[in-house]
Amino acid sequence: MAATTAQPMESLPSGLGICTTAPDIFYLPELVFGGLVWILVASTHVVPANPLGWVMFVSVFCFVMTFLWMIIFMAGGHKNSPGWAAADFAYHGLATFFYLSAGVDLAYITFLKKLTGPFKDYQIDIAAVVFCFLATLLYFMHAILSSFRWKNV
């Protein structure tokens, strides 16, 4: 009878296994593209003083939380309690929503900067918009695959 019971935590990887499983393989690209958004937005001068505060908050928050989430999964901290698959889906869904709203804000400010700002800052902001929407796509794919994993747990 014990052989037929399912062990739900087996579907959540730990250690270097997160580098080979479908949703968890997105951790590193999410960190790279989120960090690029953070760096590119921080490197330009924006007038008025702080219209991109939300973009900076989202990129820094998601960078730190994704890094911590990845460390928890690598260390196997998720093996001690149930609900990690649902929490993984919830976090990546929230991060997707945050990055989508930040990408729209950044694209709007970049469009306005095209009319008034220096061309070099405009080019940097275009790159930041592209990386922001790529990060949104990565978080979305991670959320979708995490939802499949959550439903199978």
Side-chain angles (χ1 to χ4, degrees):
M1 195 67 159
T4 61
T5 60
Q7 296 178 358
M9 289 296 128
E10 289 298 319
S11 65
L12 296 175
S14 64
L16 292 178
I18 69 168
C19 296
T20 60
T21 57
D24 301 317
I25 202 164
F26 293 117
Y27 280 126
L28 290 178
E30 288 166 358
L31 287 172
V32 168
F33 288 124
L36 284 171
V37 171
W38 177 11
I39 291 166
L40 291 170
V41 170
S43 70
T44 61
H45 179 67
V46 180
V47 176
N50 197 12
L52 295 177
W54 175 247
V55 178
M56 287 299 291
F57 169 77
V58 168
S59 59
V60 171
F61 173 77
C62 288
F63 185 87
V64 170
M65 289 303 295
T66 300
F67 182 74
L68 291 175
W69 205 252
M70 184 178 71
I71 295 299
I72 289 170
F73 269 65
M74 283 183 116
H78 61 287
K79 300 279 185 185
N80 297 333
S81 64
W84 278 95
D88 189 41
F89 166 67
Y91 166 68
H92 285 92
L94 181 68
T96 300
F97 177 72
F98 277 4
Y99 259 111
L100 183 61
S101 65
V104 170
D105 184 33
L106 183 59
Y108 177 70
I109 295 298
T110 302
F111 174 73
L112 294 178
K113 194 181 278 189
K114 176 183 179 184
L115 305 174
T116 60
F119 188 67
K120 182 178 179 185
D121 285 350
Y122 174 70
Q123 289 176 323
I124 292 172
D125 282 343
I126 287 290
V129 169
V130 169
F131 289 132
C132 192
F133 283 119
L134 284 174
T136 303
L137 179 66
L138 288 169
Y139 277 104
F140 179 71
M141 291 187 319
H142 197 142
I144 294 298
L145 293 174
S146 292
S147 72
F148 292 151
R149 180 169 61 189
W150 173 41
K151 294 297 178 185
N152 291 331
V153 168

